[in-house]
Amino acid sequence: MKKWNWREGQRPYRRQGAGQRHGWYRGNRQRSTQDERHMDTHSRSGHNDAGPSLRTSQRGYENQSSSSTSSPSTSSSTSSSSSSKASSAAPELPGFYFDPEKNRYFRLLPGHNNCNPLTREQLQEKEREKQRNKMLAEDEKPRKKAPRTGLNTSLLLQKRHLGLLPENSYCRLVHEVKVSGMRRHKLEIQSTDNSNPNTDNFRLIVGDSACERVFTVNDVSHGGCKYGIMNFSSSSRGSLSVEMCDNLYFTNRKVNSICWASVNYPDSHVLLCLVGVADTPGCVSLLPASLFSNSNPDQPGMLCSFKISSAWSCAWCLNPQFDKTFSTGLSRRVIVKDAETGRTQTYSTGSDVLAQQFALRVPVLFNGCRSGEIFSIDLRQRGRRDQSWKASRFHQESAITSVRVLQDENYLLAADMLGQIKLWDVRVTKPVQEYKGHYNEHAYLPIHVNEPEGLLLAVGQDCYTRLWSLKDGHLLRTIPSPHPTANDLIPSVVFSSKLGGCRGLPGLLMAVKHDLYYFPYNTDYQEGGKQQAGF
């Protein structure tokens, strides 16, 4: 009797009347009648130099072969189910990875150089890209999964007519249904110079209170950045048109933070924090919005530059008592300055201040630090020392990237670099709600709140945009980026109840790479304002 030929993957000859043997292992020549019947319908797996293969036990094959005598269809389904179970149960071997499609282990080599074609990082990136494409395909479908089980418009309307649903709950749930049905549309940007298309990646977009203008910051390929303003208008048909203002400003400094400022009228100016580079010192600039348009006949208004270097964050106060006051968060201190008189108040802190926002009804400034501390400053209490000016203070587990004060100013939203988003009750300094699913490890990422629709939005470091119910923290939708995931291509978003002005509809605006996308509530959205893009 000749031995098994491993290289050819089959026996050199077979005696007539003898079935093929199955279950051969090194040093084991046992065979059974059931193995012979099984191998008449199933092929044998041979040795592969790529790495060890995953084999199921002989007992499993015996059970499978016994079922194959009853029905061929049952045999094939059992075989596929057993193979899928084997793939999911594949043990992890050091230095190898298991490919479920080829049912094989392949060698993994350490390193990131081009000489190594297979690394764990490349495999993880490939898997993430596969998942992103799958979610993009799901988003293109006209009918999407409901954000909650059994939630749809007809059922909500029926409950509303029967008096089973209060009006506020009905409006909130309708918004959740609308959010789940939003579809992506690419916007074309109108410009006076259509010969110069935009090839610079969007880094940040910030909308004004009416969401008729959006301040944009783009990275420039040769270093530095450029910034300007885009005007949005909504037509009676519901289409959204975008026009880029004439004047764009270039700087070799990095823009760390932006907020709209109300100096002469609401959102009349823009406050920018510029970080110094080389021999160019950093500063905080207060620029009139009319400065970015040549066609605006109005005077530019107040134009100021304050010698405040290395500012991480900024905020503008809208309280009437301090209506010309802004703040900046720096390394281990907070500066509060009056833009008209120049009066300055400095507060020393124990950590870098990365996020800030003023309350509206009372002149209180909330600050988020790198240490995870969140504290408030009451501007009416001046001259105190030993940090007794901190009206309230509480902590999260990691560096704070964003703080947002709700309309009920007893509540504050805070996000950190561990991906945690918590709703705090400032009165008792305890979290009352947590919004799970956000992903962040080290990026400086903001969060966005839209209380009329009851929504919370955040873009994670994985480039996914997530929307939660502000009321109960339920994750309503996860939107993948239209472009492959990268740390320098994290989308920047704006959500508004009336995007484009008073005639506008609720929707999401997303800027990623050099493209601009619109996710409207209206499922019958017509792209009526398409023109060539350019900057």
Side-chain angles (χ1 to χ4, degrees), residues 92-324:
E92 184 176 351
L93 299 181
F96 292 87
Y97 94 99
F98 181 74
D99 191 331
E101 295 179 357
K102 299 181 179 179
N103 198 30
R104 287 289 181 274
Y105 285 92
F106 292 89
R107 185 178 297 278
L108 262 178
L109 299 178
H112 305 274
N113 53 62
N114 295 330
C115 298
N116 180 16
L118 201 60
T119 62
R120 192 174 299 275
E121 290 77 12
Q122 290 176 348
L123 293 172
Q124 292 175 351
E125 183 179 354
K126 180 180 178 182
E127 187 63 28
R128 287 194 296 265
E129 184 64 15
K130 181 179 178 181
Q131 181 66 21
R132 186 187 70 87
N133 290 328
K134 180 180 178 181
M135 295 186 66
L136 283 175
E138 291 288 335
D139 269 2
E140 291 299 325
K141 295 181 179 179
R143 299 191 64 178
K144 299 181 177 63
K145 184 179 178 181
R148 300 178 191 265
T149 305
L151 184 64
N152 57 70
T153 307
S154 59
L155 181 60
L156 291 176
L157 190 60
Q158 183 181 3
K159 288 185 177 181
R160 177 63 178 153
H161 286 322
L162 294 175
L164 302 177
L165 203 60
E167 183 177 357
N168 55 352
S169 299
Y170 171 74
C171 294
R172 177 175 57 85
L173 293 175
V174 165
H175 283 298
E176 294 184 4
V177 174
K178 291 292 186 181
V179 162
S180 66
M182 294 189 307
R183 300 184 66 181
R184 183 179 73 252
H185 301 272
K186 187 175 180 180
L187 293 177
E188 301 296 336
I189 306 171
Q190 306 173 32
S191 176
T192 55
D193 185 12
N194 292 328
S195 62
N196 184 22
N198 175 38
T199 57
D200 299 319
N201 294 339
F202 283 103
R203 184 173 176 269
L204 188 63
I205 59 173
V206 180
D208 63 0
S209 56
C211 220
E212 295 178 343
R213 297 170 298 171
V214 172
F215 192 86
T216 67
V217 178
N218 295 68
D219 290 327
V220 182
S221 57
H222 54 75
C225 64
K226 65 179 182 181
Y227 48 88
I229 291 180
M230 290 189 299
N231 293 322
F232 288 77
S233 60
S234 180
S235 67
S236 56
R237 297 177 297 173
S239 62
L240 188 68
S241 60
V242 189
E243 181 182 4
M244 193 69 193
C245 286
D246 305 329
N247 291 339
L248 290 173
Y249 284 79
F250 293 81
T251 177
N252 61 341
R253 294 175 287 189
K254 176 184 175 183
V255 178
N256 250 3
S257 182
I258 301 172
C259 71
W260 287 87
S262 301
V263 179
N264 303 325
Y265 50 88
D267 302 324
S268 61
H269 288 63
V270 180
L271 189 66
L272 289 87
C273 295
L274 301 174
V275 180
V277 291
D279 296 334
T280 306
C283 68
V284 175
S285 297
L286 185 63
L287 306 177
S290 57
L291 188 67
F292 296 91
S293 177
N294 288 331
S295 59
N296 196 330
D298 297 338
Q299 296 295 326
M302 181 187 295
L303 176 62
C304 303
S305 181
F306 305 94
K307 294 181 179 180
I308 303 175
S309 61
S310 303
W312 290 101
S313 57
C314 63
W316 185 269
C317 183
L318 296 176
N319 185 273
Q321 296 179 349
F322 298 86
D323 58 347
K324 300 294 189 299

Side-chain angles (χ1 to χ4, degrees), residues 401-473:
T401 61
S402 183
V403 291
R404 289 291 179 267
V405 185
L406 300 187
Q407 292 178 358
D408 183 353
E409 297 179 357
N410 294 316
Y411 295 95
L412 173 81
L413 279 163
D416 60 27
M417 288 189 182
L418 286 179
Q420 296 179 332
I421 303 178
K422 296 181 179 181
L423 177 64
W424 290 85
D425 189 330
V426 180
R427 297 165 296 184
V428 295
T429 63
K430 290 184 179 180
V432 295
Q433 185 66 260
E434 187 171 357
Y435 304 86
K436 298 183 178 181
H438 183 52
Y439 177 76
N440 191 11
E441 291 182 344
H442 55 75
Y444 186 62
L445 302 173
I447 57 176
H448 311 270
V449 183
N450 189 282
E451 291 195 63
E453 275 72 35
L455 299 175
L456 168 67
L457 297 89
V459 180
Q461 196 175 337
D462 54 359
C463 297
Y464 285 91
T465 303
R466 295 175 175 87
L467 297 92
W468 293 267
S469 169
L470 188 61
K471 180 179 177 62
D472 57 9

Side-chain angles (χ1 to χ4, degrees), residues 60-88:
Y61 279 114
E62 291 175 357
N63 296 335
Q64 191 177 16
S65 61
S66 62
S67 63
S68 66
T69 58
S70 59
S71 171
S73 61
T74 307
S75 174
S76 61
S77 62
T78 308
S79 176
S80 61
S81 62
S82 62
S83 63
S84 62
K85 290 181 180 178
S87 301
S88 61

